[in-house]
Amino acid sequence: MTPHTADHTDVRATNLAAVLGHLRADAPCSRAAIATGTGLNKATVTSIVADLITRRLARETEQTQNHVGRPATLLVLDGSAYAAIGMEVGLRGLTAIAYDSAGGQLLRWHRSGPGVGATPAKTIAALAALARRAISAVHASGRDVLGLTVGVPALVDRDGTVVLAAGLGWRDVPLRQDLVTALGRPAFPVMVDNDANLGALAEHRYGAFAGTADLIQLSGDTGVGAGVISDGRPLRGGHGYAGEIGHLRIQPDGPLCGCGRRGCLEAMASLPAILARLDQADGPETDPQLRTDQLVRRAEDGDTATLKTLTEVGGLLGQGISVLVDLLDPELVVLGGSYAALGRWLAPAIEQELTDGALVAVNGRCQVVVSAFGHDAPSIGAVARSLDRLDSGHLPAPPVHPQP
Amino acid sequence: MTPHTADHTDVRATNLAAVLGHLRADAPCSRAAIATGTGLNKATVTSIVADLITRRLARETEQTQNHVGRPATLLVLDGSAYAAIGMEVGLRGLTAIAYDSAGGQLLRWHRSGPGVGATPAKTIAALAALARRAISAVHASGRDVLGLTVGVPALVDRDGTVVLAAGLGWRDVPLRQDLVTALGRPAFPVMVDNDANLGALAEHRYGAFAGTADLIQLSGDTGVGAGVISDGRPLRGGHGYAGEIGHLRIQPDGPLCGCGRRGCLEAMASLPAILARLDQADGPETDPQLRTDQLVRRAEDGDTATLKTLTEVGGLLGQGISVLVDLLDPELVVLGGSYAALGRWLAPAIEQELTDGALVAVNGRCQVVVSAFGHDAPSIGAVARSLDRLDSGHLPAPPVHPQP
């Protein structure tokens, strides 16, 4: 264990992160307001803001604020110089999303395929092609790309190797390394992370309750997985595998699960399990987004079987969420992926189960909400992950691309 | 949300913490070895070590180390000036343990009572009396007391109020505040924390696998509770209630639990549940330590019913631990409290269940071990908690007591 030590570069980075965080939460704001909000002295704020303006990470607006004395110029984040890319390898295809450093969306692409049966090599080639196009598009907008992160429905180790992705049929695929090789740019920052972890990060960073220190994002398009933010940081566990809730046994004599046991949460409350309950598991459509849309339409039309099933599944999910709440004591549980669209019908039974079942929920008042990001959450979280270094106050090299 | 900012005091504290951490892990060691181990430059190490020596937190030994060049004086932690006190309010009575700042045990007292039926006021009066005696004893040894922490089998909020302690029959007891009042020293640092959280901290800080970044300590003397260290820090959750595993439903048609439902882990695998399975629940003895000793003797004598029950309970605990492992992905699960003494008989079934059941365990190689601290773990963790500020590099005021 190497002890963590600090030097004066760390101090600058910590303070820079605080100023960026204040701007993200409260801009437009004055230098004086930043000093008050962060506890830094005005000279430090002035110097850091000057740095941020030089890098085009912040800019002065035309607006001023009149208190007593001379008017203060207001500052906002500037997204004109840098951006980051988030991607997802999902069962429904590949997604690429880019945000500029001020949180503005630059592009959002989805392509179906290569499909579950494809070899990792084929999928990685398609991923690299999409990544190159996204990088080019960001460059064409006059911005440098600070990094690229890929979310996968998988156990991912700290080196970015996919240890096991049951849904994709992958095992021991060195995704990060292969993607770096395919991109042909060894120095370009590429990361790989679990899709549920990234979904939680998306909520923590850009969601309706951004900044909530303890939250869980739950999704269930294939397996059921939880991403956890604990005390403001992603909960990863000793090997990077935390958040596996899918094989929680809800009903010992329940339906057979892919893991060989019976009655796992995944076998009872994932999207495929919901469809199986409604005898719709074998339909021609495999894209979870489109299948969810079909369910939503049936529920909106008042279809009795659909409504009954969603209430039952809400109860089962509620049992799983009760366990999460008792163990992790979050302030917020966000229903993501397909659960987001189905949330209106799932939530009442979930909340009932939480009231009846979870010890902590009763005392701790945990709120259950629906994600606004739907199936984009992992890619949006991947963008946030690519911005980690900047957000922790490590400035990038000055922008290469001239001001447009 | 107030952003965290850094100043140069923080830099000094971070570096001081790193030097203390290195000494804790590797002493006796030279200044040069500390510099190499922490990455700090030699002038910084020399200055920090001088500070530590002045405060009598470190001292030079007679030993020297001969490399090339002149011999280096070796340093060790010095526990002669400061100590901390950890206490526990348990169903078996009150415990007080004091360690000096170098990790040497100064005292370990246990008194039975006031008992489960006692009012909070009576228990707090007894606790305050024991605390005063412990403080006096530490002072008599020539040391200042840096703080006192009390562990309770309870949901404890951030202010040190016991929200709910089912076993003690307490609800909404402002324990921290009442204890400060009873001690009559408003400035004296008193903290209150959940016993399972503190048990985990004891392992993280002083256990056989000290320093393991992701570990869980499980105990079950009354309810079943887990304390969690995640990424080197206690996992507390949004309201301080994380780690509640006792009401995980293992068997929907199992025995009735105190919570009103059936088949909770607590109703099936806690010490009282083990005794109930053996028709020994109503014996005259209520101290978990003594009851565990009886079980151990029976198991050692080869009593068939006892061995069969412990194997069954090991399997049930294994199901609970599988859920913890899947959700939290620890490197280490420590069996604490009564489970420590019973570990030899519980562990095989636990490990079997982990191999069969937990997705992460198979991939992540989580180790199950037995605590060396038994029922002292919460008090030892309470000592560690009282030393938090020092360990994070915040030096106490120079010692009041003269060198003995």
Side-chain angles (χ1 to χ4, degrees), chain A residues 181-199:
Chain A
T181 306
L183 288 175
R185 299 172 55 180
F188 186 70
V190 173
M191 290 183 286
V192 176
D193 204 340
N194 170 270
D195 58 349
N197 288 351
L198 294 175

Side-chain angles (χ1 to χ4, degrees), chain A residues 30-338:
Chain A
S30 66
R31 287 170 179 80
I34 295 172
T36 308
T38 59
L40 295 169
N41 67 48
K42 286 186 187 167
T44 302
V45 171
T46 301
S47 148
I48 284 174
V49 165
D51 254 15
L52 292 175
I53 290 176
T54 305
R55 309 285 169 129
R56 288 163 46 209
L57 287 160
R59 60 182 173 79
E60 296 186 332
T61 64
E62 306 289 309
Q63 283 179 277
T64 55
Q65 200 174 39
N66 280 301
H67 285 300
V68 183
R70 65 196 175 96
T73 306
L74 296 185
L75 297 155
V76 291
L77 289 175
D78 182 354
S80 69
Y82 302 97
I85 296 171
M87 301 186 76
E88 187 195 2
V89 180
L91 304 195
R92 52 189 279 266
L94 306 177
T95 306
I97 289 182
Y99 278 19
D100 67 34
S101 62
Q105 187 175 292
L106 299 176
L107 63 87
R108 174 175 177 276
W109 294 338
H110 181 70
R111 58 153 288 184
S112 58
V116 173
T119 60
K122 191 171 171 194
T123 301
I124 292 168
L127 189 68
L130 190 63
R132 269 193 294 269
R133 274 181 50 209
I135 294 169
S136 298
V138 171
H139 284 170
S141 80
R143 293 174 178 88
D144 285 351
V145 181
L146 291 177
L148 182 157
T149 299
V150 182
V152 206
L155 296 181
V156 179
D157 75 11
R158 290 181 189 275
D159 298 327
T161 293
V162 170
V163 177
L164 177 66
L168 296 169
W170 291 12
R171 189 179 272 276
D172 297 322
V173 175
L175 176 55
R176 200 196 76 82
Q177 194 184 308
D178 287 358
L179 183 57
V180 168
T181 306
L183 288 175
R185 299 172 55 180
F188 186 70
V190 173
M191 290 183 286
V192 176
D193 204 340
N194 170 270
D195 58 349
N197 288 351
L198 294 175
L201 191 58
E203 300 300 335
H204 180 63
R205 187 52 194 289
Y206 297 113
F209 294 81
T212 302
D214 290 82
L215 68 82
I216 293 172
Q217 199 251 31
L218 194 76
S219 58
D221 289 345
T222 49
V224 176
V228 182
I229 302 287
S230 171
D231 201 10
R233 307 190 309 177
L235 181 85
R236 304 190 164 279
H239 317 85
Y241 304 160
E244 290 295 331
I245 184 75
H247 300 282
L248 179 72
R249 216 173 309 169
I250 298 288
Q251 197 175 301
D253 57 350
L256 195 64
C257 179
C259 75
R261 296 186 305 169
R262 290 192 169 275
C264 297
L265 186 59
E266 176 167 324
M268 301 193 70
S270 61
L271 180 63
I274 296 173
L275 295 169
R277 277 167 181 264
L278 289 164
D279 283 326
Q280 292 165 20
D282 302 319
E285 187 49 66
T286 57
D287 183 327
Q289 176 77 61
L290 299 176
R291 304 208 72 164
T292 308
D293 292 348
Q294 287 167 359
L295 281 176
V296 167
R297 274 195 302 277
R298 280 168 197 271
E300 281 176 341
D301 290 348
D303 178 71
T304 317
T306 303
L307 293 174
K308 181 163 170 286
T309 296
L310 291 177
T311 300
E312 285 166 6
V313 167
L316 298 166
L317 275 178
Q319 290 183 38
I321 293 174
S322 293
V323 173
L324 288 170
V325 167
D326 275 352
L327 276 177
L328 299 167
D329 180 23
E331 298 156 87
L332 191 70
V333 173
V334 185
L335 301 177
S338 300

Side-chain angles (χ1 to χ4, degrees), chain B residues 329-340:
Chain B
D329 181 23
E331 298 156 88
L332 192 69
V333 173
V334 185
L335 301 177
S338 301
Y339 294 147

Side-chain angles (χ1 to χ4, degrees), chain B residues 4 7 15 47 72 74 106 133 144 183 186-187 201 204 218 227 236 248 283 290 302 307 310 325 359 384 388 400:
Chain B
H4 177 80
D7 59 27
N15 294 341
S47 147
L74 295 186
L106 299 176
R133 276 182 49 211
D144 285 352
L183 288 174
L201 191 58
H204 180 63
L218 194 76
R236 304 191 164 279
L248 179 70
L290 300 176
L307 293 174
L310 290 177
V325 167
L359 179 63
D388 269 355
V400 171

